[in-house]
Amino acid sequence: MKIEVTSQMTGNVWKVVVAKGEQVEEDQEILILESMKMEIPVVSPDDGTIIELKVEEGDFVSEGDVIAILEED
Amino acid sequence: MTKQVVEEQNELKQKIDKLLEKKEKYREMGGQKYIDAQHEKNKLTARERINLLLDEGSFKEMGILAHHQNLHPTMEGKFTPADGVVAGRGTIDGREVCVAAHDYTVLAGAIGKVAETKVARVREWSLKNRVPMIWLVDSAGVRVQESIGSLFAGNGRQFFDQVQMSGVVPLICALMGPGIAGTAYLPALADFVPMVKKTSYMALGGPHLVRSVVGEDVDEQTLGGSRVHTQESGVADLEVKSDEECLKVIKKYLSYFPSNNEQKPPIKEGVERAEITINERLAEIVPTNPKKIYNMYDVIKELSDDNDILAMKPKWAKNIITAFGRVGGYPVGFIANQPMHLGGALDGDAADKAARFMNICDSFNIPLVFLQDIPGFIVGSKVEKAGIIRHGAKMLHMVSEATVPKITIIIRKAYGAGYFVMNGRQFDPDYIAAWPTAEISVMGAEGASSILYHKQIRKAEDSKAAWSEYADQFRNLIDVEVAASNMLIDDVIDPRETKLQIFDAVASAWNKKVERPWKKNSIRPV
């Protein structure tokens, strides 16, 4: 099943931690946002593979934006 | 012996043999074909589940001879051993419990009239004897053939009963297969709802009904699988990977609970105060740079015996953590802000989650430990429209109502109403202490200075620089020792000693008694 990974909050993408095609575990950091004066990670909701990354470092994302697509294991 | 006596004895023996044979047949449930089908789906049968759940040999079945009595043509010739639900009593870790497990091998575990009478009997036992009630749900819902037309007028009593039991005995409802239609309200009214990944789902209307009524084409898992209910709806508490794990987690959950609301929860023996020593890790987890965040679970694990906790709803409203643990053997419920999600700010779901957890702990005499690092409630038109005021009020209401021992440790931020709902000083904490890193304030320095000095900032040549300067001034006023010297908190503590501080407070307040004015009900925000 394909899962859309969304940003919980509005902020700037400070660092993208994983690459497209990478295998991730549940709760693994996908990227780190800078928001509310803090560095806040967006984590994977499940075990699976990142089949698409929708943002780059420096991008601005709003709450609810899809930042990656995960193919569930 | 006379011939007559011998004949009578033989007759009795035959009756006994016949009875035992019938029981044996009923124990085989829906038959090997359906048992195999159940196993192929990675599901255990109702009997296998009960055997794994209860202490070995402790199960006392009630109603094995039950069978449907329906005369409707669609039920003619249908064989329903135990009427599709295995029910009775037994023990878990030596303590009595009641259990009812739907048997999917018998007409897909659909609930008939006789089956319901059986479960009612077990519910009655649970309430009268004040022992926990456990449902293992694997059922296609009500057996429609038996509730045809307006005979349905007699259905629904299980939910009424469940509400009478709520808060008296722990109610656990595990989803280990489908739980459709009315069956979906069993978990909704229970205290603890684990769901098995991939094999369980719950929905008020199953895919067939959804397709025919609203025209939506959706599969079971997308409609109400464990992902939906543990991450999006918040109806379930925990996603588990297998039936075995599900049964194990039920036992673990119960280990924190008394059998009923008139008892204290069991204290685990063998932990000495002297064993709770200075923990250097606690001083290392929380970064001094306020931009850096940390995982609050790491703090909670350091505070809990053997680093072992049981988190409730860990994948839903992740900005707040609700978890059972033990501090020096005493069971406690931790409520902690999670800076990793939304910076730990509270939204409606988080408030619901925390209020419910407080409700459960308070009902069963489990002390509450609040760990604060909260920038406040989320603001803005979106959350206002979603009713954040009434959701936040649930936390205020519950934290004020709770009479169990309540301990508060302020780790970093304690801003605004967030500080209140996390058991601030005016909400009757038995002990409230802060780490030297604590920042108690009406709000953050930036927000506060933009309100206090908005005219000066607007008039300034460089308004950004002015704002920053006023914010720095305000920040200097945020000092935890000011709160301590005004006796607004009990102490500022060495973070490394936090576990000992919590232990001492819980142990001293263990027999706390608070009496409130009589009332029938509070008017609880919903």
Side-chain angles (χ1 to χ4, degrees):
Chain A
M1 193 161 62
K2 285 193 178 89
I3 300 170
E4 289 186 338
V5 184
T6 54
S7 172
Q8 273 192 323
M9 48 201 318
T10 300
N12 281 302
V13 179
W14 180 66
K15 201 173 184 177
V16 178
V17 185
V18 299
K20 187 180 164 184
E22 199 170 318
Q23 192 85 19
V24 292
E25 286 173 13
E26 188 179 330
D27 285 337
Q28 188 177 328
E29 279 181 8
I30 293 175
L31 54 81
I32 300 171
L33 287 179
E34 195 169 21
S35 178
M36 291 169 63
K37 297 186 179 295
M38 283 182 285
E39 291 160 13
I40 295 170
V42 179
V43 300
S44 175
D46 213 328
D47 295 349
T49 309
I50 301 290
I51 56 169
E52 206 175 328
L53 268 170
K54 301 248 184 194
V55 294
E56 288 174 8
E57 284 173 13
D59 282 359
F60 176 81
V61 293
S62 294
E63 184 192 334
D65 282 358
V66 178
I67 58 119
I69 309 276
L70 181 81
E71 176 83 59
E72 198 187 12
D73 277 352
Chain B
M1 263 190 285
T2 65
K3 197 180 160 197
Q4 195 194 345
V5 172
V6 171
E7 268 173 17
E8 276 174 10
Q9 278 186 349
N10 280 344
E11 201 181 324
L12 178 62
K13 196 168 172 300
Q14 275 171 16
K15 272 191 176 165
I16 293 171
D17 286 346
K18 220 172 141 189
L19 174 69
L20 294 181
E21 203 180 304
K22 186 174 181 181
K23 282 191 178 177
E24 199 44 50
K25 176 91 188 125
Y26 275 34
R27 245 177 238 120
E28 286 164 13
M29 310 189 281
Q32 200 56 46
K33 185 177 139 199
Y34 290 102
I35 292 174
D36 290 345
Q38 182 82 346
H39 287 161
E40 267 161 39
K41 283 187 232 159
N42 284 325
K43 285 159 72 180
L44 298 172
T45 66
R47 287 184 190 282
E48 287 166 339
R49 286 168 178 166
I50 287 176
N51 285 341
L52 280 177
L53 177 68
L54 301 179
D55 295 338
E56 206 181 332
S58 72
F59 184 47
K60 291 154 196 84
E61 186 163 358
M62 293 161 82
I64 187 167
L65 294 174
H67 192 279
H68 87 83
Q69 302 299 311
N70 202 278
L71 300 175
H72 194 272
T74 52
M75 286 303 287
E76 204 182 313
K78 295 263 197 246
F79 177 52
T80 66
D83 207 27
V85 59
V86 185
R89 304 112 50 199
T91 59
I92 291 176
D93 292 333
R95 296 189 295 162
E96 288 285 335
V97 297
C98 283
V99 61
H102 300 125
D103 181 355
Y104 200 80
T105 69
V106 176
L107 302 185
I111 304 152
K113 294 273 185 224
V114 175
E116 182 39 39
T117 309
K118 260 179 82 164
V119 182
R121 190 91 181 110
V122 178
R123 285 199 302 270
E124 226 178 277
W125 186 292
S126 154
L127 185 58
K128 267 198 289 201
N129 294 288
R130 300 289 195 266
V131 296
M133 176 74 206
I134 303 162
W135 290 265
L136 306 179
V137 174
D138 190 359
S139 166
V142 71
R143 201 181 282 158
V144 182
Q145 300 94 323
E146 297 202 38
S147 294
I148 277 180
S150 298
L151 282 178
F152 184 70
N155 287 28
R157 182 70 184 193
Q158 65 268 43
F159 309 119
F160 177 88
D161 285 356
Q162 205 180 339
V163 174
Q164 313 314 311
M165 297 161 84
S166 176
V168 180
V169 292
L171 304 176
I172 295 169
C173 183
L175 267 291
M176 306 183 78
I180 314 170
T183 327
Y185 277 124
L186 282 177
L189 294 170
D191 312 343
F192 176 49
V193 182
M195 274 185 96
V196 183
K197 194 175 179 174
K198 289 181 179 155
T199 54
S200 74
Y201 74 97
M202 61 174 146
L204 276 194
H208 288 299
L209 186 75
V210 168
R211 202 168 300 129
S212 61
V213 176
V214 294
E216 185 189 354
D217 199 9
V218 64
D219 64 71
E220 294 166 349
Q221 287 300 316
T222 314
L223 181 65
S226 56
R227 216 186 94 77
V228 172
H229 290 304
T230 58
Q231 294 188 26
E232 292 177 57
S233 77
V235 177
D237 291 296
L238 212 53
E239 183 182 61
V240 289
K241 292 208 159 85
S242 64
D243 278 16
E244 287 85 351
E245 195 185 328
C246 183
L247 300 163
K248 221 179 264 174
V249 88
I250 293 174
K251 291 194 233 191
K252 184 170 180 181
Y253 177 88
L254 280 175
S255 75
Y256 298 105
F257 281 76
S259 292
N260 59 62
N261 63 339
E262 288 174 75
Q263 297 174 355
K264 297 264 189 213
I267 303 166
K268 205 167 177 190
E269 302 286 326
V271 192
E272 298 297 324
R273 186 180 185 275
E275 287 170 30
I276 306 170
T277 47
I278 292 275
N279 184 343
E280 297 291 342
R281 269 287 289 149
L282 282 169
E284 293 159 8
I285 295 168
V286 181
T288 42
N289 179 354
K291 263 187 91 166
K292 298 280 174 200
I293 57 144
Y294 58 96
N295 189 347
M296 184 63 93
Y297 274 111
D298 294 339
V299 177
I300 298 176
K301 284 179 184 164
E302 291 302 328
L303 296 175
S304 197
D305 297 350
D306 305 319
N307 302 118
D308 186 39
I309 59 165
L310 178 62
M312 296 287 102
K313 303 189 197 291
K315 293 182 179 181
W316 181 68
K318 289 178 173 179
N319 38 344
I320 199 152
I321 298 172
T322 52
F324 296 106
R326 281 190 188 82
V327 177
Y330 287 94
V332 298
F334 288 102
I335 299 186
N337 311 115
Q338 171 61 294
M340 285 186 74
H341 295 279
L342 298 174
L346 292 173
D347 57 2
D349 284 349
D352 280 4
K353 174 172 158 179
R356 176 180 168 80
F357 187 74
M358 283 188 238
N359 191 179
I360 290 174
C361 290
D362 190 46
S363 298
F364 293 104
N365 312 314
I366 298 170
L368 288 164
V369 176
F370 295 83
L371 304 174
Q372 291 204 15
D373 187 352
I374 177 158
F377 278 91
I378 292 176
V379 294
S381 60
K382 190 182 165 199
V383 289
E384 292 301 348
K385 283 177 191 164
I388 193 153
I389 298 174
R390 66 185 169 83
H391 291 298
K394 292 178 207 174
M395 261 183 106
L396 268 182
H397 196 105
M398 207 49 241
V399 75
S400 308
E401 257 193 355
T403 57
V404 285
K406 296 188 293 188
I407 319 298
T408 303
I409 306 291
I410 302 163
I411 291 177
R412 215 153 68 163
K413 295 189 184 91
Y415 290 173
Y419 161 72
F420 298 162
V421 298
M422 288 295 290
N423 199 32
R425 175 65 182 88
Q426 299 300 343
F427 294 81
D428 262 3
D430 296 279
Y431 181 71
I432 179 167
W435 286 13
T437 43
E439 304 167 23
I440 306 170
S441 175
V442 62
M443 61 180 79
E446 282 75 16
S449 53
S450 69
I451 293 172
L452 282 173
Y453 305 111
H454 69 104
K455 276 188 195 151
Q456 290 92 324
I457 291 170
R458 209 176 52 219
K459 283 180 192 159
E461 240 169 69
D462 184 346
S463 60
K464 212 172 171 187
W467 184 24
S468 170
E469 200 176 303
Y470 284 119
D472 286 342
Q473 279 180 23
F474 191 89
R475 201 170 289 116
N476 290 334
L477 300 173
I478 302 174
D479 179 350
V480 67
E481 286 189 25
V482 173
S485 57
N486 281 278
M487 201 37 224
L488 299 173
I489 56 173
D490 294 313
D491 207 352
V492 180
I493 59 169
D494 178 345
R496 299 170 303 168
E497 278 186 358
T498 306
K499 184 169 179 181
L500 197 61
Q501 298 287 347
I502 295 171
F503 172 84
D504 283 342
V506 170
S508 304
W510 187 247
N511 291 313
K512 174 183 179 183
K513 195 171 166 86
V514 176
E515 282 169 359
R516 298 264 161 82
W518 185 90
K519 58 175 124 173
K520 190 166 176 230
N521 283 311
S522 280
I523 311 304
R524 291 186 171 176
V526 288

